[in-house]
Amino acid sequence: MLKRIISTIFFLCFFSTTAFAHTGEIQITGENKYKAIRLTPEIYNNSNSDLSDILIKDNNGENVPYFINTGFQKVYEGREGYPMKLINSYTNDNSFYFDYKLTAEGESDTVATSVEVSTNNTNFAKIVDVYGSYDNLHWEFIQNDKLYNIDDKSKLSIEFNKPQKYTHYRFKLANNLEKISFEAVNLVYSIAINEKNYFIEDLTPTFSIEEKDKTTLVKIEGLKNLRLCSLTIETDSMFKRTAKAPLASGKEIYNLSLNETSYTDTTLPLDWQISQEDIYIITITNNDDKPINITGITVRYYADDVVFEGNANESYTFYFGADATKTSPVYDITKYKDEILKGTIDKVTISAINYDKENEKSEERDYKVIFNIVVTGITVLLGGLFLFRLRRIPD
């Protein structure tokens, strides 16, 4: 009975409290369907490290689906064409052969990723065996594929399974009742390189200096939950020291001016470190030298965009820091985000951010009051139970 009463008290106390949340008004601009908010360091500092507590609500209080975009793709494309000339055509065992040679051979290998043809023939579909040779004597099978030109649909190129370097190419057709001929045949080298680009932002944080045991401790604020790229120390001192960031090995940094030549490297690579602390500390080893004069700190970090569908006629509120135990919401929009990112997205901002410190302090006070009530209640119950049992003991 006593356990049940105590459990009930704790249950009611736990659910009688409400988590605090920070909010900001989203300033909708642009005519495009989708909007993107670039998250600021303040939002990272006051959110869960995985951003699972972020919510967007419309003016009806309904949750608005979103996805987090960490960067963008750049595609670099290159294409070169190499014409070939027909050097031989013949039939053998009911098969038709067309042999081609590069019109101009370079000093280095000609690399091809495909071969393209042009023809005036229509209404045909042919399986073509492709062979390669370096001397027009010894031929090696490359692959086969289909060429066709039917109505408004055509396929007049063969993509090689891997790049080829032959100087001669042969087409073999099982039959050629349609008397197909090719007006032009070209080797093609094409490549597309996908490069991942991240949103990298600069931050000039507040910092303080502490000298301790021949070392300088640079205590930097406002980096909590940021994915850090690099940190640069600004100084007018001449030095060569070892500096160390948390979770990283030391690096030699220097700022030298010798023989009218300057040598400077005061940047620490931070390699995606995520600080879990409110204060991020860089340690500089001074040995017996005087501490260097640090005039500023520049931090580069990887930022994110929150992308959602927004209407210029509606208002939206951004919530964060609502619940440290919350898991990330799952929305359908994440399943087609790649298609969304191919289009134009309007950049929007957050204004009038309200950091709800009063509610946080109020809750802390509420927890103390509740704790005192619970302890007092349990004490009274235990005392009552003890007296009750004493009375039942026979004299």
Side-chain angles (χ1 to χ4, degrees), residues 200-211:
I200 299 180
E201 300 283 352
D202 289 344
L203 171 65
T204 304
T206 300
F207 67 95
S208 60
I209 302 294
E210 179 183 342
E211 306 299 339

Side-chain angles (χ1 to χ4, degrees), residues 89-137:
S89 63
Y90 60 94
T91 60
N92 184 17
D93 296 333
N94 297 322
S95 295
F96 291 75
Y97 295 81
F98 300 90
D99 292 348
Y100 295 89
K101 177 184 178 181
L102 280 167
T103 301
E105 295 185 36
E107 295 181 358
S108 59
D109 292 335
T110 299
V111 182
T113 55
S114 65
V115 59
E116 296 179 352
V117 305
S118 62
T119 179
N120 292 325
N121 297 94
T122 59
N123 297 321
F124 72 86
K126 291 291 182 183
I127 297 295
V128 179
D129 291 340
V130 182
Y131 296 81
S133 173
Y134 292 106
D135 56 10
N136 198 28
L137 295 173

Side-chain angles (χ1 to χ4, degrees), residues 231-332:
L231 183 148
T232 300
I233 296 172
E234 299 168 14
T235 177
D236 53 8
S237 299
M238 186 165 138
F239 69 94
K240 191 174 184 179
R241 310 279 168 90
T242 298
K244 186 178 183 303
L247 305 177
S249 57
K251 179 194 171 182
E252 189 173 70
I253 60 174
Y254 51 85
N255 185 39
L256 303 173
S257 180
L258 302 170
N259 300 322
E260 298 182 353
T261 303
S262 296
Y263 308 88
T264 300
D265 181 4
T266 60
T267 298
L268 293 177
L270 299 180
D271 301 324
W272 294 83
Q273 278 193 39
I274 300 178
S275 174
Q276 302 297 324
E277 306 298 331
D278 293 326
I279 303 297
Y280 189 81
I281 301 177
I282 300 295
T283 303
I284 301 174
T285 302
N286 299 319
N287 294 320
D288 293 322
D289 289 303
K290 293 181 179 180
I292 65 176
N293 178 39
I294 299 176
T295 58
I297 297 288
T298 300
V299 173
R300 305 189 78 204
Y301 67 94
Y302 300 98
D304 301 287
D305 279 352
V306 176
V307 181
F308 65 101
E309 182 178 342
N311 190 322
N313 298 322
E314 296 186 20
S315 60
Y316 299 88
T317 304
F318 189 87
Y319 290 80
F320 60 103
D323 186 352
T325 64
K326 186 176 177 58
T327 57
S328 300
V330 179
Y331 297 120
D332 284 345

Side-chain angles (χ1 to χ4, degrees), residues 49-60:
S49 59
D50 60 356
L51 303 176
S52 58
D53 53 342
I54 286 177
L55 285 177
I56 298 175
K57 292 181 180 291
D58 59 21
N59 49 10
N60 295 318

Side-chain angles (χ1 to χ4, degrees), residues 326-344:
K326 186 176 177 58
T327 57
S328 300
V330 179
Y331 297 120
D332 284 345
I333 193 173
T334 60
K335 299 175 183 177
Y336 47 89
K337 68 178 183 178
D338 290 340
E339 293 302 315
I340 293 174
L341 293 174
K342 292 177 182 178
T344 303

